[in-house]
């Protein structure tokens, strides 16, 4: 029987799903540090607090908005991973909250412990992102924003990504969200770790 070339392999689907779960764990670890999350997570967390809803529901609502733009302008970036990430990642993060909270509030133990949580969160999140990206099964709705800007403006991808992340960080800050050292470390530290895991792990599995 001839295989459908359009069907992704089980290995790619599994890598995508595992990657998203690990990303959720990484975001939960960042939150536990109380030094700030990545900008879009910080914004969603603050909006969820203000609206009195769970992060999973808030993240889903935000991704529906972003997906509308993706569907209209960037359908080529839509895949199975787009939906799994857009629907599930917020609920996965909240599922890990009780596990992270079991170790107690990091801010009560001082900056060294908080930095330890961040140091753990960076490689964990990077590993998840590496697995998710290597599977190549669609772009998450938020991640499409910077790709869409790159496609429709003369600005290179790096500049577009900095703009979308900075905009979300400013909005989170203005709304009273937690933007701090962890946010900066996430912004500048994930990239090298993602490349490392992609080269030495994700592409091999």
């Amino acid at each position: 029987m001839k295989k459908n070339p359009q069907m992704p392999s089980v290995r790619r689907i599994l890598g995508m799903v595992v990657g998203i779960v690990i990303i959720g764990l990484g975001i939960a670890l960042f939150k536990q540090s109380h030094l700030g999350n990545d900008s879009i997570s910080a914004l969603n967390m603050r909006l969820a607090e203000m609206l009195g809803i769970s992060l999973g529901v808030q993240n889903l609502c935000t991704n529906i908005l972003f997906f509308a733009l993706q569907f209209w302008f960037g359908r080529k970036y839509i895949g199975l991973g787009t939906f799994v990430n857009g629907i599930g990642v917020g609920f996965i993060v909240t599922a890990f909250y009780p596990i992270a909270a079991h170790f107690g509030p990091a801010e009560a133990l001082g900056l060294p412990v908080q930095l330890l949580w961040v140091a753990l969160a960076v490689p964990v999140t990077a590993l998840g992102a590496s697995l998710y990206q290597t599977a190549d099964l669609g772009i998450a709705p938020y991640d499409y924003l910077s790709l869409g800007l790159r496609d429709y403006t003369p600005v290179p991808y790096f500049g577009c990504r900095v703009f979308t992340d900075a905009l979300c960080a400013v909005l989170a800050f203005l709304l009273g969200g937690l933007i701090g050292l962890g946010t900066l470390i996430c912004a500048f530290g994930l990239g090298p770790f993602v490349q490392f895991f992609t080269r030495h792990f994700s592409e091999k599995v």
Side-chain angles (χ1 to χ4, degrees), residues 59-76:
N59 191 76
L60 177 59
C61 293
T62 303
N63 277 326
I64 289 174
L65 176 62
F66 294 155
F67 179 74
L69 296 173
Q70 187 175 5
F71 182 80
W72 189 262
F73 296 106
R75 295 184 188 179
K76 65 181 179 180

Side-chain angles (χ1 to χ4, degrees), residues 80-98:
L80 178 62
T82 305
F83 297 100
V84 177
N85 187 306
I87 296 171
V89 71
F91 296 101
I92 293 170
V93 173
T94 55
F96 280 118
Y97 279 173

Side-chain angles (χ1 to χ4, degrees), residues 8-202:
S9 67
V10 173
R11 181 177 294 184
R12 288 173 62 200
I13 294 175
L14 184 61
M16 177 268 292
V17 173
V18 171
I20 291 173
V21 172
I22 295 176
I23 289 172
L25 173 60
I27 294 173
L29 293 175
F30 268 114
K31 179 175 174 59
Q32 177 66 13
S33 75
H34 290 271
L35 288 178
N37 278 81
D38 62 282
S39 56
I40 184 60
S41 294
L43 178 59
N44 276 325
M45 288 174 183
R46 181 53 183 158
L47 288 172
E49 292 172 355
M50 294 175 67
L51 296 173
I53 59 178
S54 70
L55 174 63
V57 173
Q58 173 57 47
N59 191 76
L60 177 59
C61 293
T62 303
N63 277 326
I64 289 174
L65 176 62
F66 294 155
F67 179 74
L69 296 173
Q70 187 175 5
F71 182 80
W72 189 262
F73 296 106
R75 295 184 188 179
K76 65 181 179 180
Y77 297 113
I78 297 175
L80 178 62
T82 305
F83 297 100
V84 177
N85 187 306
I87 296 171
V89 71
F91 296 101
I92 293 170
V93 173
T94 55
F96 280 118
Y97 279 173
I99 299 174
H102 176 73
F103 295 93
E107 75 275 18
L109 300 175
L111 183 60
V113 175
Q114 291 177 277
L115 290 174
L116 181 62
W117 278 98
V118 172
L120 180 61
V122 169
V124 168
T125 307
L127 174 60
S130 173
L131 287 168
Y132 176 72
Q133 292 173 9
T134 303
D136 193 23
L137 292 177
I139 300 299
Y142 173 72
D143 292 332
Y144 165 71
L145 296 182
S146 49
L147 288 170
L149 284 174
R150 182 202 63 183
D151 291 346
Y152 288 94
T153 69
V155 182
Y157 172 76
F158 178 77
C160 293
R161 184 72 194 205
V162 169
F163 172 75
T164 56
D165 286 350
L167 178 61
C168 289
V170 169
L171 289 174
F173 178 77
L174 291 176
L175 292 173
L178 180 57
I179 298 294
L181 180 60
T183 308
L184 292 176
I185 293 175
C186 185
F188 295 101
L190 282 181
F193 277 95
V194 170
Q195 291 181 350
F196 173 82
F197 284 122
T198 298
R199 183 179 303 113
H200 298 286
F201 180 74
S202 300

